[in-house]
Amino acid sequence: MGTSLKPANTDFPATPRPDPIPDPNHADCRGVASVLSRVGDKWSVFVIMMLSDGPKRFNELKRMINGISQRMLTLTLRGLERDGLVTRTIFPTIPPRVDYELTDLGRGLQEPVKALGEWAIKHQQQIAAARTRFDARNET
Amino acid sequence: MGTSLKPANTDFPATPRPDPIPDPNHADCRGVASVLSRVGDKWSVFVIMMLSDGPKRFNELKRMINGISQRMLTLTLRGLERDGLVTRTIFPTIPPRVDYELTDLGRGLQEPVKALGEWAIKHQQQIAAARTRFDARNET
DNA sequence: CTGCATCCCTTTCGATACTG
DNA sequence: CAGTATCGAAAGGGATGCAG
């Protein structure tokens, strides 16, 4: 086969592949890694945050998260749905309407993620400064 | 800066407002995203965890984080150093020795990351179950 | 409106070989 | 021991077109 996209490869953004296995002694590492991957997926985090205050429709989310492509939003939502973090409700109206809403699990995830976000906001200046310093030192 | 974000009350893009329309160009969003990307980088998190209990040498880390390639460890450490999260200390001995150690900033980051890790451990069963259910429903 | 499929470019990452 | 250099494979991700 050439290079066409295999259907099986339509896996979701943050789904780990055959697992790099960080430390065999801690089986938990893989579970942790898969969750961290999802958080590290920029779009997943934004979607979760956007759903904080209730269910949203597909295009509503797309408009709120400026810069996300339709494809990425679809994939992100499928990944979140797969992990049981959001629910997908179809209203068979015309035109069709689909609502996405956080599950209890998803709402629980919000808390540690928010803590991380607050840390990020609080220290982004320090980090930016460190980067500038590092880059300056490494460019002369 | 955006028009109305107050440092004290600074929440994530999704504050519980009826019609938010978050500013995607908001500086905070980009800063947060860049920090989240680093956390999402699986290796970075593991390295930070490995450095919890004091400085470590390059190959020491490599052995502890089973599965990481030399290249990735180098790149990860460079990224962390650049962001001011770890320090790199060279001992000009023969053979050479390089120690990596968390900075205060890095140690601060550990806390929200650990919270996330604990959430992950606590809920990985639920997530795994949700995935299985989703996959089963989507394969028949 | 929602969302899948396709094309195609970019980034990431592992493996390998080589240097101080 | 602690890197750097290079290459090829794979995944990420945008743009577009089509379908339900």
Side-chain angles (χ1 to χ4, degrees):
Chain A
M1 70 162 190
T3 36
S4 50
L5 194 61
K6 303 163 296 182
N9 203 6
T10 312
D11 211 359
F12 311 106
T15 305
R17 26 196 168 284
D19 280 291
I21 307 178
D23 187 347
N25 292 333
H26 298 74
D28 283 343
C29 284
R30 262 169 298 198
V32 172
S34 83
V35 174
L36 290 177
S37 307
R38 166 137 309 101
V39 171
D41 177 15
K42 182 178 57 186
W43 299 129
S44 291
V45 171
F46 281 120
V47 167
I48 288 176
M49 288 308 163
M50 292 308 166
L51 293 177
S52 294
D53 55 329
K56 295 271 177 298
R57 300 181 58 174
F58 185 88
N59 270 1
E60 213 170 347
L61 287 171
K62 190 165 182 300
R63 274 190 301 274
M64 292 172 84
I65 309 175
N66 199 329
I68 193 172
S69 66
Q70 187 183 47
R71 178 188 142 91
M72 279 302 100
L73 182 54
T74 299
L75 289 176
T76 301
L77 287 168
R78 284 292 173 284
L80 293 172
E81 186 194 359
R82 178 172 186 257
D83 283 6
L85 298 169
V86 309
T87 56
R88 180 166 173 266
T89 310
I90 306 173
F91 299 92
T93 58
I94 294 182
R97 166 188 180 144
V98 180
D99 272 12
Y100 293 91
E101 184 170 16
L102 283 181
T103 62
D104 288 340
L105 193 61
R107 267 187 290 276
L109 177 55
Q110 260 191 335
E111 316 216 357
V113 165
K114 263 203 256 186
L116 202 58
E118 278 155 23
W119 184 93
I121 291 173
K122 192 171 181 181
H123 296 93
Q124 60 178 328
Q125 307 300 339
Q126 282 180 67
I127 291 179
R131 282 184 188 170
T132 304
R133 216 177 312 127
F134 182 93
D135 292 347
R137 197 170 54 229
N138 211 349
E139 196 161 316
T140 50
Chain B
M1 283 286 284
T3 45
S4 60
L5 195 58
K6 294 160 285 294
N9 211 2
T10 294
D11 208 3
F12 246 70
T15 36
R17 280 169 294 183
D19 36 17
I21 308 185
D23 183 0
N25 294 327
H26 199 292
D28 279 348
C29 286
R30 282 187 292 252
V32 171
S34 84
V35 173
L36 289 177
S37 308
R38 181 152 313 293
V39 171
D41 176 15
K42 184 182 51 185
W43 299 129
S44 292
V45 170
F46 280 118
V47 167
I48 288 176
M49 287 309 169
M50 293 307 165
L51 292 177
S52 295
D53 54 333
K56 296 271 178 298
R57 300 180 57 172
F58 185 89
N59 271 0
E60 214 170 347
L61 287 170
K62 189 165 183 301
R63 273 189 301 273
M64 291 174 84
I65 309 174
N66 199 329
I68 193 172
S69 66
Q70 189 180 41
R71 181 175 181 270
M72 278 303 100
L73 181 54
T74 299
L75 290 176
T76 300
L77 287 168
R78 284 290 174 285
L80 293 172
E81 186 194 358
R82 183 169 110 105
D83 283 6
L85 298 169
V86 308
T87 56
R88 179 165 172 268
T89 309
I90 306 174
F91 299 92
T93 58
I94 295 180
R97 167 190 178 140
V98 180
D99 272 13
Y100 293 91
E101 185 171 15
L102 283 180
T103 62
D104 289 340
L105 194 60
R107 267 184 291 274
L109 177 56
Q110 262 191 332
E111 316 211 0
V113 165
K114 263 201 258 185
L116 201 59
E118 278 154 24
W119 185 92
I121 291 174
K122 192 171 180 181
H123 296 93
Q124 60 178 326
Q125 306 300 337
Q126 282 180 68
I127 292 180
R131 282 183 188 169
T132 304
R133 217 176 313 126
F134 182 96
D135 291 347
R137 197 169 56 228
N138 212 349
E139 196 162 316
T140 51

